Amino acid sequence: MAATKRLTQRDIARLAGVSQATVSLVLNGAVSAEGRIPQETRERVNKAIRETGYVADPVARRMAKGLNRILGVFTYEPAFPSAQADFFTPFLLGIEEAAQELGYDLLLLTGAAAGAQRKIFGNNTRLRLADGCLVLGRQFDRDELTRLVAGDYPFVAVGRRDDAGGPVPYVGGDYASGTAALVDRVRALGHTRIAYVGPASGAESTFDRWAGFSGAIAGLHLVAHMPDVAQPANETLDGLVASGATAVFFIELADAIQVETLARQRGIAVPEQLSIVVLGNHIRAEQTGRRFTSFSIPREAMARAATQMLVRRVEHDEPIQQILLPCEPLEGDTLGPAPLTKPKTGP
Amino acid sequence: MAATKRLTQRDIARLAGVSQATVSLVLNGAVSAEGRIPQETRERVNKAIRETGYVADPVARRMAKGLNRILGVFTYEPAFPSAQADFFTPFLLGIEEAAQELGYDLLLLTGAAAGAQRKIFGNNTRLRLADGCLVLGRQFDRDELTRLVAGDYPFVAVGRRDDAGGPVPYVGGDYASGTAALVDRVRALGHTRIAYVGPASGAESTFDRWAGFSGAIAGLHLVAHMPDVAQPANETLDGLVASGATAVFFIELADAIQVETLARQRGIAVPEQLSIVVLGNHIRAEQTGRRFTSFSIPREAMARAATQMLVRRVEHDEPIQQILLPCEPLEGDTLGPAPLTKPKTGP
DNA sequence: ATTAGCTGCTAATACGCATTAGCAGTCAAG
DNA sequence: CTTGACTGCTAATGCGTATTAGCAGCTAAT
């Protein structure tokens, strides 16, 4: 550090023998100065800039102009730590790509002090440094969301969000339709007795799956619904067997994996005796050997679309929009035709 | 958007019946105003702040104070696209953690426009928005590095870097010692004829490995050095066999994998007939079935240390430091005692 | 009574840039 | 010779904050 003081337009002006204002005008190719500054003067200024390597201070720029070409990214959980990494990576990937294309940089908001639950609004909120902000995470803070909606700061949520004192701008995945499509598939394969493992309410993404499910099961019998997240796998499997379900829908891949493993141990063939469907292409699915029938979540596309929407909101004050991207079915090997007899366990 | 104008200290001042300066003093608990502003006045100001939800504009703040609590992160390759993701993730993880602890946000610089090679210095450089910056990537641009070193902008490189018109502040991994330790291990296991696959120069990380290697092979015979990166695996293996080497050092995990696979096909047992050592715990190593003997690269720790160093440089103008973190040996199953006879292939 | 010191506050300024109003000079038309 | 239009530039201002100098009023000490 030390030595070289920060270069300013004044320095350039001095070198070029003009005023600071002229430097600014040359730099910004201001329309109002079109044809007002002769090539010769521009040259002198540009020469000085080139020789010194001057770069305009973006802070001052933002101060004067109000915009920054910076997008904030707020994640309600740390973006990188490995447990979460797989969750956020595709989103961040899409955001980064879109931001780069649009000429924006990204400000990763690390949120509140370590340990505490992350908060967008703190005493020290640096949010406003960015022109607008993308919000993502599994667990949103509803109060903060309300405040964001009420405020005049442009933001877009990645993932559908319920109204919070007003409509929330978002780009989400159409889990409801994705789920419904899977239900139709199950029905077409002759299943009549189905089960659902996972809660029916809670986060929007959970609710949407259940909504899609319950809206599509006409003609089918929901013989078991196990909302308990913490329930041990063998109890779940017991319940499924007892219910006589021939196809089960899981919200959580982890649950599905455990139950499938257990089923195999007990000699219950999947999908011959029991079909399993998972609601969403959870990451790491490929690491489990078994390819579960599911639907895709277009995470990268969601992130790209959200970024573009945010930029439109920032630049053109576009009104609030809510977009759901389709979730295409994913072939797997855990959904088959309904068995002629119910699955049975040993003695 | 629309409506609500941005709140300023002046608004708060008006509400509280004080001056803007007083608001600022209350907000910052300035030492110079210690005991100069009575509790009663503070209350009035704080009340107005609470009621309006005022938050100081970070841009103006930076403007006035010169600091922003923002760290720039410049990656010479896109940070997220999946091919790179595994490379950058541990670094970003460490940076994010450290930044959050220290109360800094991160500015992810997307660099030049899409397609073009990324540049730190461009017309659009918003780098200076950050108080300082971390630079990472496989391929550094030497000219840019020189310029950074020459400038007064605080930065720290993740990974050792050669001088560039002056010493470069960095936190790197001690690949030289890590490599040397592996050489010692190989020697201790009775090997005398060894080979090295990978270039001896190029990036600092490459050079360091070779330096550690060549500095530690006293008493051993380097019977083959194959610097060619693009060489087909069977040629490499042919060369190794011809040389009579009993232990090979690989810079690239990919090369090691190919050669090991080929060796198995040819009936050359690893490590019974040929020991393989890889210089660094490359990511995805665990996916290859074989656990290669190697050394660990403390990526997360490097990133954390670099972040902390950068903050010290920003806040306290700490002089340039260069730190190498130890790379501990990693047990694997590809290094064994030297065979009594040279490995032989069939007729 | 003067000085010194304290309290409680404010005016003024700097930070680096963008932007606007407008000045001085030239030149052509009237 | 005046007017107006145009050229080439600059002075001045604002953005929202932090910070410093310092003012006014008061008390206590000299």
Side-chain angles (χ1 to χ4, degrees):
Chain A
M1 265 74 79
T4 27
K5 261 295 273 171
R6 174 151 179 61
L7 277 175
T8 72
Q9 288 188 346
R10 212 190 321 278
D11 299 320
I12 304 299
R14 204 173 303 129
L15 287 173
V18 296
S19 72
Q20 176 264 320
T22 304
V23 175
S24 177
L25 291 177
V26 168
L27 265 177
N28 299 295
V31 188
S32 72
E34 198 59 46
R36 302 293 302 269
I37 296 175
Q39 203 52 36
E40 195 265 335
T41 304
R42 290 176 189 274
E43 285 304 337
R44 284 212 317 279
V45 172
N46 283 323
K47 180 155 167 286
I49 290 177
R50 249 179 289 120
E51 284 174 359
T52 56
Y54 165 83
V55 186
D57 181 346
V59 178
R61 211 164 184 147
R62 158 92 200 206
M63 198 58 204
K65 210 161 68 169
L67 287 189
N68 231 344
R69 300 197 82 77
I70 288 180
L71 300 181
V73 179
F74 187 90
T75 59
Y76 267 107
E77 298 93 26
F80 300 117
S82 39
Q84 311 282 356
D86 283 346
F87 177 71
F88 283 114
T89 301
F91 289 127
L92 294 174
L93 193 165
I95 292 171
E96 194 198 25
E97 279 183 2
Q100 176 159 347
E101 278 168 22
L102 295 163
Y104 278 75
D105 283 321
L106 297 179
L107 181 63
L108 233 61
L109 299 154
T110 59
Q117 157 72 11
R118 288 191 167 207
K119 291 280 180 193
I120 293 183
F121 295 100
N123 294 330
N124 53 349
T125 303
R126 293 176 282 274
L127 190 63
R128 300 207 84 111
L129 225 174
D131 296 335
C133 137
L134 292 162
V135 189
L136 42 171
R138 306 171 199 261
Q139 283 300 117
F140 270 50
D141 180 314
R142 188 129 295 267
D143 290 340
E144 294 202 329
L145 199 51
T146 303
R147 213 162 137 187
L148 273 177
V149 170
D152 65 335
Y153 185 74
F155 79 100
V156 171
V158 178
R160 189 183 78 76
R161 297 296 151 186
D162 288 333
D163 281 15
V168 176
Y170 62 73
V171 176
D174 192 350
Y175 302 145
S177 302
T179 301
L182 288 177
V183 172
D184 292 345
R185 241 180 159 85
V186 165
R187 181 191 292 104
L189 285 166
H191 295 268
T192 56
R193 300 178 67 82
I194 58 178
Y196 193 93
V197 179
S201 62
E204 285 86 347
S205 56
T206 301
F207 175 86
D208 288 354
R209 287 177 169 93
W210 173 258
F213 176 79
S214 55
I217 57 175
L220 302 178
H221 302 293
L222 177 58
V223 294
H225 176 202
M226 293 174 243
D228 187 1
V229 181
Q231 179 175 275
N234 54 8
E235 288 182 25
T236 303
L237 186 51
D238 288 345
L240 290 173
V241 169
S243 73
T246 60
V248 205
F249 291 78
F250 284 90
I251 280 203
E252 288 296 335
L253 173 65
D255 293 342
I257 291 174
Q258 288 185 16
V259 169
E260 194 266 346
T261 305
L262 209 56
R264 201 182 325 167
Q265 288 171 8
R266 292 200 196 168
I268 303 174
V270 175
E272 290 75 13
Q273 292 174 274
L274 182 66
S275 282
I276 293 181
V277 173
V278 178
L279 300 178
N281 67 330
H282 301 72
I283 307 112
R284 286 194 171 142
E286 68 284 356
Q287 298 194 12
T288 67
R290 201 80 205 231
R291 290 183 51 251
F292 287 90
T293 297
S294 180
F295 58 75
S296 75
I297 301 179
R299 291 177 222 267
E300 192 180 330
M302 286 162 61
R304 292 181 57 91
T307 306
Q308 289 158 357
M309 180 187 289
L310 177 60
V311 168
R312 290 196 306 272
R313 274 172 72 66
V314 167
E315 294 183 355
H316 312 303
D317 221 44
E318 186 187 70
I320 288 180
Q321 284 185 35
Q322 303 183 323
I323 296 182
L324 290 181
L325 300 182
C327 296
E328 305 297 341
L330 277 182
E331 285 307 333
D333 48 26
T334 59
L335 171 60
L340 298 181
T341 59
K342 298 178 191 174
K344 281 284 181 193
T345 51
Chain B
M1 267 69 79
T4 27
K5 260 296 269 164
R6 176 151 182 63
L7 277 175
T8 71
Q9 288 188 348
R10 213 191 317 279
D11 299 319
I12 304 300
R14 203 173 303 128
L15 287 173
V18 295
S19 72
Q20 174 265 321
T22 304
V23 176
S24 176
L25 291 178
V26 169
L27 265 177
N28 298 295
V31 188
S32 72
E34 198 60 44
R36 304 293 302 268
I37 296 174
Q39 203 52 35
E40 197 265 334
T41 305
R42 290 175 190 274
E43 286 304 336
R44 285 212 317 281
V45 172
N46 283 323
K47 180 156 167 286
I49 290 177
R50 249 178 291 120
E51 284 174 358
T52 56
Y54 164 83
V55 185
D57 181 343
V59 181
R61 211 161 185 150
R62 150 100 199 214
M63 199 55 208
K65 213 160 65 166
L67 288 190
N68 223 352
R69 302 197 82 77
I70 287 180
L71 300 181
V73 178
F74 187 90
T75 58
Y76 267 108
E77 298 93 27
F80 300 117
S82 39
Q84 312 283 355
D86 282 346
F87 177 71
F88 283 115
T89 301
F91 289 127
L92 294 173
L93 192 165
I95 292 172
E96 194 197 22
E97 280 183 2
Q100 175 160 349
E101 278 168 22
L102 295 163
Y104 279 76
D105 286 321
L106 298 177
L107 180 65
L108 238 60
L109 297 152
T110 59
Q117 158 71 13
R118 290 190 165 207
K119 290 281 179 193
I120 292 182
F121 296 99
N123 294 330
N124 54 348
T125 303
R126 288 177 285 274
L127 186 64
R128 300 207 84 112
L129 225 175
D131 296 335
C133 128
L134 292 162
V135 189
L136 42 169
R138 306 171 199 261
Q139 284 298 117
F140 270 50
D141 180 314
R142 190 129 294 267
D143 289 341
E144 294 203 328
L145 199 51
T146 303
R147 215 164 134 186
L148 273 176
V149 170
D152 65 336
Y153 185 72
F155 79 100
V156 170
V158 178
R160 189 184 78 76
R161 298 295 151 187
D162 289 332
D163 281 15
V168 176
Y170 62 74
V171 176
D174 192 350
Y175 303 145
S177 302
T179 301
L182 287 178
V183 172
D184 291 344
R185 241 181 158 83
V186 165
R187 181 190 293 105
L189 284 166
H191 295 269
T192 54
R193 301 177 67 81
I194 59 178
Y196 193 93
V197 178
S201 61
E204 286 85 347
S205 55
T206 301
F207 175 86
D208 288 354
R209 288 177 169 94
W210 174 258
F213 176 79
S214 55
I217 55 176
L220 302 178
H221 302 294
L222 177 59
V223 294
H225 177 203
M226 292 174 243
D228 186 1
V229 181
Q231 180 176 276
N234 55 8
E235 289 183 23
T236 304
L237 186 51
D238 288 345
L240 290 174
V241 169
S243 73
T246 61
V248 206
F249 291 77
F250 283 91
I251 280 203
E252 288 295 336
L253 173 65
D255 293 343
I257 291 174
Q258 287 184 18
V259 168
E260 194 265 347
T261 305
L262 209 56
R264 200 181 327 165
Q265 287 170 8
R266 291 199 196 168
I268 302 175
V270 175
E272 290 74 12
Q273 293 174 274
L274 183 65
S275 283
I276 293 182
V277 173
V278 178
L279 300 178
N281 68 329
H282 300 74
I283 306 112
R284 286 192 171 142
E286 69 283 357
Q287 298 193 12
T288 67
R290 201 78 203 231
R291 291 182 51 252
F292 287 91
T293 297
S294 180
F295 58 74
S296 75
I297 300 179
R299 291 178 222 267
E300 190 178 332
M302 285 162 62
R304 292 180 57 90
T307 306
Q308 289 158 357
M309 180 187 289
L310 177 59
V311 167
R312 290 196 306 272
R313 273 173 71 68
V314 167
E315 295 183 356
H316 311 304
D317 221 45
E318 186 188 71
I320 288 180
Q321 284 186 34
Q322 302 183 323
I323 296 182
L324 289 182
L325 300 181
C327 297
E328 304 298 340
L330 278 182
E331 284 307 331
D333 50 25
T334 59
L335 171 59
L340 298 181
T341 59
K342 298 178 191 174
K344 281 285 182 191
T345 52

